[in-house]
Amino acid sequence: MMLSARHVSWSAGAVPILREVSVDVRRGEFLGVIGPNGSGKTSLMALLAGIRSPKTGEILLDGVPIARLSRREVARRLAFVEQQAETTERITARQAVELGRTPYLGALSPWSAADDAIVDAALENVGMRHLADRGWHALSGGERQRLHIARALAQEPEILLLDEPTNHLDIAHQLGLLDLVRRQGLTVVAALHDLNHAAMFCDRIAILEKGRLIALGTPREVLTVERIREVFRVDVAIDHHGAGECSIRYHAPGKAGAATRLKVV
Amino acid sequence: MSRSFSSIGRAGAALLLLVAALWMGAAVGETSIPLEVVARTVANRLWGAGYPLDPIDEGIVWNYRLSRAVVAACCGAALALSGAVLQALLRNPLADPYILGISAGASTGAVGVAILGLGSGLLTLPAGAFLGAVLAFALVSLLAAKAGRGRSAIILAGVAGSQLFNALTSFIVTKAANAEQARGIMFWLLGNLSGIRWPDVSLALPAAVLGLGVCLWHARALDAFTFGADSAASLGIPVRRTYVVLVGASAMMTAAMVSIVGSIGFVGLVIPHAARMLVGVRHGVLLPAAALIGAVFMIVADVLSRILIAGQVLPIGVITALIGAPAFAFLLGQRRAQA
């Protein structure tokens, strides 16, 4: 129970986005958060990262309310990769990763050789060391996302929070990135769009619908034909392989079955 | 080891450049004074060296030109720092105290104290300028927040805020000032270093040094804003506190300079971009570089304002705009070519 949301609610102005969500993240697990657009995934990630405060309820980091910890303390234990963080500054790939050392640096603890080594290792880890001196603007979307992961790793966190990390990447980069994240052996919470990715990579999946947590469990437990139809409004067939794995086949809307159900909706 | 040596070397070179610019600023003018006379004057005044000098030359160098050059340097450094900090915090390459209405607000505050007697003697002119600057930025931020999230919102709000506060200043001046006051204030508003004496240095220098210190202390925090405020927060930066402290420092520096020399455009906008091209984007190096370039630029601009038209002194704001506007156009083109 290292990171927990306790009955958190959040609204954007008068519009409620999250209602009474409670979830405990277990040490070492890969927890996926899925849900349709507007279900509150991004808001939940921002609350878990402590960069927004819930209207009601609280976020606990190792049992301590995150609001009571300093930003710096949080950043040493928990790294957050936003959806599409961009810049117009002319920084290099390496400089973007060096930002990850920010929570450890201060007037009395300047940049050291140890920091260089950690940054090198993070670049190596994501396979970007050969592009370290390349300018940010000359990098592809996949390379930039890898650098954001490397920046997060340079924070040496226990927990990695990712908000739709594979947006705008081609399929090979999507799978490569999620595999890279899983290989770190960290506790991971990731908002994901693709149900198959969630099924492939997650130990557990949380499903959000209209700001409420409606299911939490292993992929096999929570990804059912009925629930996917209710929440995502698509018809699917689910194939089970072996012990816990499953994969999802989508039926195009308008084909057999879908049309009649859409009328009901 | 080599790293610290090179940074000491660079700091030394920067200091030399600044001294050279001040030296030149004191020597060049309507009557040219030899460099060694400038050096001897400084030696006489600071260490009582006792060189025999023409008292008129010595007076011109010490009482007029040197104090003026020091204030010009402080002003250039402070404006460039404010611009660099605002550009980083707002992640907007067009941000600077002049465009965001901070200078205009400071002018209104200063005029309010000087002419209307706001604060009934409790507020000094610089304090009034600071209140005006903070008020203007608060108003502009509010307007930008209402206008939406776009990048141009804060700039458009700044333009509107500048117009509003300039109008208020004109209104106050027209309504309450006599003709002579009005003329003096209008000249001051365009940016003017004519009346500068040593007492002005005692405000300009501490303001610039304190501002530089506060900004440098937050250099890494400014770096952390590269990918936005949320990214800075997730890197462990207390965003709101950083924002308040740094905007406060920018307003303080701008207000101090406006209350001494009036509002001067383009320095805060262009100099940080020039510094970025020269030394890169890391604020630990960028901020001192911007301060130095701003200081040297202002000293040179002041010299030009004195010698460009014989027998006349141009408002320094005219010089900075004449150089700054084309330089800005050039930078915009460069940016586009590289994007």
Side-chain angles (χ1 to χ4, degrees), chain A residues 51-52 71-72 75 78 80 82 85-91 95-96 98-100 102-103 105 107 111 116 136 148 151 155, chain B residues 3 87-88 91 93 151 217 220 223-224 226-228 230-231 233-239 276-277 281-283 334-335 338:
Chain A
I51 60 175
R52 300 275 178 282
R71 283 298 334 153
R72 205 174 159 86
L78 182 157
F80 179 42
E82 294 168 273
E86 276 306 329
T87 184
T88 54
E89 295 285 2
R90 292 201 204 103
I91 60 165
Q95 285 173 331
E98 285 177 354
L99 290 177
T102 306
L105 301 171
W111 188 270
D116 272 323
W136 182 262
H148 278 307
R151 186 266 299 157
Q155 281 176 247
Chain B
R3 197 167 174 155
Q87 285 165 12
R91 298 179 76 215
R151 236 175 199 216
W217 184 262
R220 286 200 185 277
D223 288 341
T226 303
F227 289 98
D230 281 350
S231 168
S234 68
L235 287 169
I237 303 299
V239 168
R276 262 183 219 107
M277 288 177 76
V281 298
R282 279 219 193 88
H283 287 86
Q334 283 261 313
R335 228 183 153 77
Q338 289 187 10

Side-chain angles (χ1 to χ4, degrees), chain A:
Chain A
M1 245 63 83
M2 50 193 324
L3 183 63
S4 314
R6 292 281 156 81
H7 308 290
V8 294
S9 300
W10 160 256
S11 45
V15 186
I17 305 289
L18 286 175
R19 305 161 200 247
E20 292 277 317
V21 173
S22 293
V23 57
D24 288 327
V25 182
R26 296 175 187 157
R27 196 173 293 277
E29 76 168 337
F30 193 132
L31 175 67
V33 179
I34 61 173
N37 290 338
S39 58
K41 299 191 293 292
T42 295
S43 303
L44 180 59
M45 297 307 290
L47 291 184
L48 287 173
I51 60 175
R52 300 275 178 282
S53 307
K55 291 271 149 83
T56 60
E58 60 184 357
I59 304 289
L60 303 176
L61 183 56
D62 285 327
V64 181
I66 206 165
R68 250 196 262 151
L69 300 168
S70 75
R71 283 298 334 153
R72 205 174 159 86
E73 223 171 311
V74 174
R76 290 175 178 190
R77 287 152 71 179
L78 182 157
F80 179 42
V81 176
E82 294 168 273
Q83 222 180 104
Q84 274 188 304
E86 276 306 329
T87 184
T88 54
E89 295 285 2
R90 292 201 204 103
I91 60 165
T92 63
R94 191 187 166 84
Q95 285 173 331
V97 178
E98 285 177 354
L99 290 177
R101 299 305 297 158
T102 306
Y104 298 92
L105 301 171
L108 300 177
S109 43
W111 188 270
S112 71
D115 295 305
D116 272 323
I118 289 163
V119 169
D120 286 339
L123 280 164
E124 187 77 53
N125 195 330
V126 303
M128 288 291 292
R129 196 149 177 199
H130 61 296
L131 294 176
D133 296 322
R134 174 118 10 134
W136 182 262
H137 292 272
L139 296 165
S140 72
E143 288 162 345
R144 289 178 191 183
Q145 204 59 15
R146 279 172 178 269
L147 289 172
H148 278 307
I149 306 275
R151 186 266 299 157
L153 294 177
Q155 281 176 247
E156 299 188 300
E158 297 158 43
I159 307 171
L160 202 52
L161 300 178
L162 309 162
D163 187 9
E164 299 194 12
T166 57
N167 260 6
H168 307 292
L169 302 187
D170 62 41
I171 186 67
H173 281 106
Q174 293 186 11
L175 295 174
L177 194 91
L178 290 172
D179 181 55
L180 166 72
V181 168
R182 187 168 59 179
R183 275 190 281 119
Q184 304 305 321
L186 298 170
T187 306
V188 177
V189 185
L192 295 172
H193 227 74
D194 189 302
L195 303 185
N196 272 314
H197 292 171
M200 279 171 75
F201 289 98
C202 298
D203 299 309
R204 290 195 303 159
I205 293 175
I207 302 183
L208 286 176
E209 188 193 23
K210 293 178 186 142
R212 287 184 204 281
L213 182 74
I214 57 156
L216 176 63
T218 64
R220 208 161 170 158
E221 287 165 6
V222 300
L223 294 176
T224 63
V225 172
E226 295 74 27
R227 189 172 279 128
I228 292 173
R229 187 191 301 133
E230 275 166 33
V231 176
F232 294 91
R233 301 196 177 176
V234 287
D235 277 309
V236 296
I238 296 175
D239 302 323
H240 295 285
H241 328 277
E245 283 185 42
C246 60
S247 63
I248 293 150
R249 279 181 287 128
Y250 301 103
H251 298 307
K255 287 208 176 156
T260 51
R261 286 201 188 87
L262 281 175
K263 267 180 212 152
V264 177
V265 173

